[in-house]
């Protein structure tokens, strides 16, 4: 863990320099004109560099969360407002791929005490995965309800699902199911590990049900209040 953290920090500066240089070549006319083929090659390099930067960001995020350096600030928010805001960010993708989205919750759903930034990361990841691994014309649903002093959130899709023999590993660092790799070869395999770590730091729990070819449901259980 210490080695990964050190390497990740050391890589950020040269990667940022590469990004800056490629950005100038692609966008600044004073750097010289480029042919279409040259631009295409530079764009591939830029995109690859971005993937490495995002991987480094995720690795550092894990290190900070686990070490306690990544502080959590709990405030009461409307989780429905947060979900609707996130769905708005994915609106173009949802419309383009004709995904049917539904959000169900009882009237008068209470506010919940969470770290808004971290909870946004959780829901963004689950929604993004659901959209990514669901075929055109598929469905995404979110259901919320309260049981006692806890809020239950279910994020469900009718996508590719998770192979039975690989379900035990789904929350491990860097793990990706074989069918997920076929859809998106570039994923880091850190998303669900980070999501569950954040949920656990909230004092909550996260489980799932999945059937290959039929979809996946993630179940989040979070305390309504933090003292």
């Amino acid at each position: 863990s210490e080695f990964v953290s050190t390497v990740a920090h050391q890589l950020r500066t040269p990667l940022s320099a590469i990004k800056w240089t490629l950005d100038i070549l692609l966008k600044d006319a004073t750097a010289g004109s480029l042919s279409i083929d040259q631009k295409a090659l530079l764009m591939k390099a830029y995109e690859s560099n971005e993937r490495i930067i995002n991987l480094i960001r995720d690795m550092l995020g894990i290190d900070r969360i686990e070490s306690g350096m990544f502080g959590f600030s709990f405030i009461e928010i409307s989780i429905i407002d947060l979900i609707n805001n996130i769905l708005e960010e994915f609106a173009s993708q949802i419309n383009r791929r004709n995904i049917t989205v539904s959000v169900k919750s009882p009237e008068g759903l209470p506010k919940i005490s969470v770290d808004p930034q971290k909870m946004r990361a959780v829901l963004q990841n689950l929604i993004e995965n659901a959209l990514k691994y669901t075929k055109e014309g598929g469905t995404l649903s979110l259901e919320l309800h309260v049981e006692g002093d806890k809020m239950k959130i279910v994020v469900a899709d009718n996508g590719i699902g998770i192979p039975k023999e690989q379900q035990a590993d789904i929350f491990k660092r860097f793990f990706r199911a074989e069918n997920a790799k076929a859809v998106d070869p570039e994923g880091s395999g850190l998303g669900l590990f980070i999501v569950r770590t954040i949920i656990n730091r909230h004092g909550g729990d996260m489980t799932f049900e999945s059937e290959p070819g039929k979809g996946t449901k993630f179940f989040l259980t979070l305390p309504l209040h933090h003292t």
Side-chain angles (χ1 to χ4, degrees), residues 9-10 14 18 25 33 43 74 77 80 94-95 110 144 149 156 168 172 183 186 202:
H9 277 288
Q10 293 300 319
I18 293 170
L25 288 171
S33 60
M43 184 55 69
F74 296 97
I77 67 166
I80 287 291
I94 291 168
N95 294 332
L144 303 89
D149 61 351
K172 290 182 178 178
V183 174
E186 305 298 340
H202 275 77

Side-chain angles (χ1 to χ4, degrees), residues 65 70-77 79 82 111-123 149-151 153 193-206 220-227:
I65 289 172
F70 212 156
F72 281 63
S73 300
F74 296 97
I75 63 172
E76 288 196 343
I77 67 166
I79 203 77
L82 178 59
K111 290 186 176 182
I112 183 171
S113 179
V114 295
D115 182 305
Q117 183 181 0
K118 312 297 191 304
M119 192 52 56
R120 172 179 284 274
V122 166
L123 294 169
D149 61 351
K150 298 184 184 297
M151 182 176 289
I153 305 172
F193 177 83
I194 293 172
V195 164
R196 192 169 73 162
T197 301
I198 291 173
I199 293 296
N200 289 343
R201 285 290 303 274
H202 275 77
D205 187 38
M206 179 176 181
L220 311 181
T221 303
L222 292 161
L224 284 171
H225 308 289
H226 282 272
T227 56

Side-chain angles (χ1 to χ4, degrees), residues 126-211:
L126 295 178
I127 290 171
E128 183 177 14
N129 280 351
L131 294 173
K132 183 189 303 180
Y133 300 121
T134 297
K135 293 181 181 179
E136 187 169 334
T139 62
L140 163 64
S141 68
L142 295 98
E143 297 185 20
L144 303 89
H145 64 277
V146 171
E147 293 181 6
D149 61 351
K150 298 184 184 297
M151 182 176 289
K152 308 277 188 176
I153 305 172
V154 182
V155 182
D157 64 64
N158 65 343
I160 62 175
I162 304 164
K164 295 289 185 185
E165 67 276 11
Q166 297 183 327
Q167 290 184 9
D169 298 322
I170 202 67
F171 292 118
K172 290 182 178 178
R173 299 180 198 231
F174 303 110
F175 177 82
R176 301 192 69 220
E178 292 302 320
N179 57 348
K181 291 179 186 177
V183 174
D184 176 25
E186 305 298 340
S188 68
L190 289 171
L192 288 176
F193 177 83
I194 293 172
V195 164
R196 192 169 73 162
T197 301
I198 291 173
I199 293 296
N200 289 343
R201 285 290 303 274
H202 275 77
D205 187 38
M206 179 176 181
T207 59
F208 73 95
E209 295 174 358
S210 186
E211 189 170 347

Side-chain angles (χ1 to χ4, degrees), residues 13-26 46 49-50 53:
T13 299
L15 286 170
S16 296
I18 293 170
K19 177 178 179 176
W20 177 76
T21 303
L22 292 171
D23 198 50
I24 288 177
L25 288 171
L26 285 165
Y46 183 90
N49 192 65
E50 278 293 285
I53 289 173

